[in-house]
Amino acid sequence: MNTVVTPGEAMDAIHDLEGAHPGFRALHAKGSLYRGTFTAGPAAVTLSSAAHLDGRTVPALVRFSNGSGDPTRADNVPHVRGMAVKFTLPDGKTTDISSQTARLFTASTPDGFVDFLRAAKPGLATPLRLAKYATQNPALVRTLKVNAVAAKIPASYATIEYHALHAFRWSDASGGSRFVRYHWVPEAGEHFISLLAARSKGHDFLNDDLDARLGEAPVRFTLQVQIAGLDDSTVDPSVAWTSEERVTIGTLEIVGLETEREHDGDVVVFDPMRVTAGIEASDDPILHFRSLAYSESVRLRSGISRGPDAPN
């Protein structure tokens, strides 16, 4: 992986854009943890031998969040939203899926991403910097068009799709393999509200709505995998796949708030590089860099350095 930018430089660029907020994640700072379960369907085991895909019901820890690095950001303004899921495997280890409402990443390399953050830094010169970046990176316009849905305000955390942006190799028990991308599809369907309607919503309405829904019934998402076609890039998360082949893998059922985690310095890390047997990370440089950046973010937040093999 030929990367010039360092995780520390990435954190600096994020803080220049969003502000530094000690004790919080660099991005997706405002979020809440929920508990639930995941049960794979019969198609899952034909694609991967991973332990949580064999049909047994496994515990799941879910974090919904605003994408901003500002923990005081109101829910009723446009922004990317996040949904991270940690599955507990039968042996007690964990594996994660990190997803968001954007369908594509804004750059193909860590350097390109940090350059974009630097260009977007608030100031009088921001329009000129962004125009220069777009000229040097013409694919940005295409990516922003695809990601336009992420600028919409969802009616609920439970009424919008979430997409993991990277490719993973799934291997089955017979030795077959294929690359996939993950998509979480809400059982309630996709529903959004207008900017005008959002003005009447409370500062934390997405969390309030989800808590109210869970007071009535579980919230469910279906996990689908999109299987890569021959010409689909497995290393560039800024490019959409042409393949329309999707397979339903299983159901996530969220039942309530998780109140036992993230107390007294306990930092829950959702790392897409935390995989398990039957699933391998692709060579996507952004995917590998995210793990390094998360470790740096945790270090800044808590003074503890953690990587993909950490126990949470």
Side-chain angles (χ1 to χ4, degrees):
M1 180 173 58
N2 297 319
T3 301
V4 175
V5 71
T6 67
E9 290 171 326
M11 292 300 104
D12 289 342
I14 291 170
H15 291 154
D16 285 344
L17 181 66
E18 300 277 1
H21 302 277
F24 291 91
R25 289 167 170 83
L27 292 173
H28 295 271
K30 179 185 178 183
S32 295
L33 293 171
Y34 295 85
R35 54 188 169 81
T37 59
F38 177 79
T39 306
V45 72
T46 69
L47 298 178
S48 173
S49 59
H52 63 303
L53 301 178
D54 66 2
R56 286 177 285 185
T57 296
V58 299
L61 181 67
V62 184
R63 186 176 190 267
F64 289 99
S65 61
N66 276 325
S68 172
D70 181 357
T72 66
R73 179 70 62 92
D75 289 350
N76 58 1
V77 295
H79 212 290
V80 171
R81 320 290 169 169
M83 175 179 164
V85 182
K86 184 179 297 294
F87 308 89
T88 297
L89 306 175
D91 64 1
K93 295 181 180 179
T94 60
T95 187
D96 300 346
I97 293 179
S98 180
S99 61
Q100 57 183 303
T101 51
R103 293 177 177 270
L104 298 175
F105 206 74
T106 53
S108 60
T109 66
D111 302 71
F113 176 57
V114 172
D115 286 344
F116 173 74
L117 294 177
R118 289 168 174 164
K121 178 182 176 180
L124 294 176
T126 303
L128 290 176
R129 289 198 302 267
L130 285 173
K132 180 179 179 180
Y133 181 89
T135 299
Q136 296 173 342
N137 300 271
L140 176 67
V141 175
R142 175 204 66 212
T143 302
L144 292 178
K145 287 181 179 179
V146 173
N147 285 344
V149 67
K152 295 182 178 181
I153 301 176
S156 169
Y157 276 134
T159 64
I160 189 167
E161 289 190 7
Y162 299 86
H163 313 278
L165 306 176
H166 309 285
F168 293 84
R169 184 195 295 273
W170 276 25
S171 301
D172 58 50
S174 300
S177 67
R178 70 286 301 155
F179 281 100
V180 305
R181 282 180 174 175
Y182 305 129
H183 305 275
W184 290 108
V185 180
E187 181 185 73
E190 284 202 297
H191 302 283
F192 303 92
I193 60 175
S194 68
L195 290 173
L196 181 61
R199 292 180 183 176
S200 64
K201 297 290 186 179
H203 187 275
D204 303 315
F205 89 90
L206 289 175
N207 282 111
D208 294 342
D209 168 87
L210 190 57
D211 293 346
R213 286 173 184 260
L214 290 171
E216 298 291 333
V219 168
R220 298 182 180 87
F221 285 84
T222 297
L223 176 61
Q224 295 182 351
V225 295
Q226 181 182 9
I227 299 178
L230 292 177
D231 297 324
D232 290 329
S233 174
T234 61
V235 297
D236 188 348
S238 70
V239 176
W241 283 2
T242 59
S243 171
E244 297 182 357
E245 183 180 1
R246 284 199 186 193
V247 179
T248 296
I249 296 301
T251 301
L252 175 69
E253 183 174 275
I254 303 165
V255 297
L257 276 167
E258 170 54 61
T259 60
E260 300 301 319
R261 301 299 299 271
E262 295 209 328
H263 294 296
D264 301 321
D266 176 27
V267 180
V268 179
V269 179
F270 296 88
D271 189 334
M273 284 289 289
R274 185 180 285 112
V275 294
T276 187
I279 301 175
E280 297 175 61
S282 67
D283 290 331
D284 178 347
I286 292 281
L287 173 59
H288 288 260
F289 187 79
R290 283 178 71 174
S291 187
L292 301 175
Y294 289 174
S295 182
E296 177 66 9
S297 179
V298 171
R299 186 190 67 79
L300 293 173
R301 179 184 179 190
S302 64
I304 301 172
S305 180
R306 298 193 183 188
D309 296 324
N312 67 2

